[in-house]
Amino acid sequence: EQVQPRDIHKPFRLPIDRVFTMEGFGTVVTGTSMEGTLHQGDKVTIYPSGKAARVRSLQVHGKPVAAAFAGQRTAVNLAGIKKEDVARGDVLAPPDSMLPSQMLDVRLDILKGCQRSITSGQRLHFHHGAGDTLCKLVLLGTEHLSPGERGFAQLRFAHPVCVKQGDRFVVRFYSPLETVGGGVVLDSNPPKHKAKDP
């Protein structure tokens, strides 16, 4: 009763966790809708590549529907795009509704049970939606964060990611794969910061 309902009035957003081809239908993507409403016939874009497609049909929990809403497990049959043009971790959303970025400003919370401190310059796995992307950590105002501490940071990526302000994420050490903590995106398309910037 205390859980806030998802917003079905924002632009639709679906992190893609599976991509496959069905004979007679073509490319199908699946995921759990994060926000918004998607209708049969809608034009959509695959982010971060920017490839365009159209919604041929929709299913929610295996049943055909005319529209899919935030929070629902959704399968989308796409027209105008090949299976090879889509990958796990991509995001399905309306045209011009997202801006790919290679840097994010974040608030980072380190788990109390984390076994080691993190230092500026470390490589981390960034988990968001269905994606797992490597990033470089640039801590702001400090050189390291210890277990249980909170700080601000800029995450820098070799390849573009598509997130929005307010999104939550998890980070894990590059090696060995241990969960560091998580946080919230403060700016999804920031300028490059120096470590000593206020």
Side-chain angles (χ1 to χ4, degrees):
E1 291 178 352
Q2 296 174 12
V3 174
Q4 292 296 316
R6 293 178 185 257
D7 193 337
I8 63 171
H9 303 294
K10 289 183 178 179
F12 182 82
R13 187 161 47 131
L14 178 86
I16 296 169
D17 56 33
R18 288 178 65 217
V19 186
F20 55 93
T21 302
M22 284 189 68
E23 190 173 344
F25 291 92
T27 303
V28 177
V29 301
T30 67
T32 300
S33 310
M34 287 182 76
E35 55 192 12
T37 305
L38 185 66
H39 298 89
Q40 188 173 334
D42 282 354
K43 292 181 179 179
V44 291
T45 298
I46 306 295
Y47 294 94
S49 69
K51 302 259 184 195
R54 181 179 56 80
V55 177
R56 181 179 284 151
S57 62
L58 292 165
Q59 285 191 357
V60 170
H61 297 290
K63 295 182 179 179
V65 294
F69 303 96
Q72 294 181 323
R73 183 72 189 162
T74 307
V76 187
N77 180 205
L78 295 172
I81 198 161
K82 298 177 182 176
K83 176 188 172 187
E84 296 76 28
D85 293 330
V86 190
R88 178 184 171 90
D90 287 349
V91 178
L92 183 75
D96 304 317
S97 66
M98 300 201 72
L99 187 64
S101 175
Q102 288 186 238
M103 289 186 286
L104 300 174
D105 284 351
V106 302
R107 189 198 74 216
L108 188 59
D109 296 291
I110 310 303
L111 289 172
K112 290 179 181 177
C114 190
Q115 297 300 306
R116 48 193 167 133
S117 297
I118 62 165
T119 57
S120 201
Q122 274 186 298
R123 293 177 76 195
L124 298 171
H125 286 269
F126 174 83
H127 296 270
H128 173 271
D132 172 5
T133 313
L134 285 175
C135 66
K136 178 184 176 183
L137 172 72
V138 178
L139 291 171
L140 304 174
T142 185
E143 282 298 312
H144 72 278
L145 288 175
S146 299
E149 289 188 331
R150 169 182 285 183
F152 297 105
Q154 185 163 79
L155 305 180
R156 298 176 183 167
F157 301 84
H159 304 286
V161 294
C162 279
V163 304
K164 288 186 177 180
Q165 181 183 15
D167 282 1
R168 297 189 175 276
F169 62 89
V170 170
V171 285
R172 305 187 80 198
F173 286 114
Y174 177 67
S175 180
L177 269 177
E178 298 170 0
T179 302
V180 177
V184 62
V185 176
L186 303 177
D187 190 340
S188 59
N189 197 28
K192 192 171 185 177
H193 300 306
K194 296 178 181 177
K196 294 183 180 179
D197 282 354

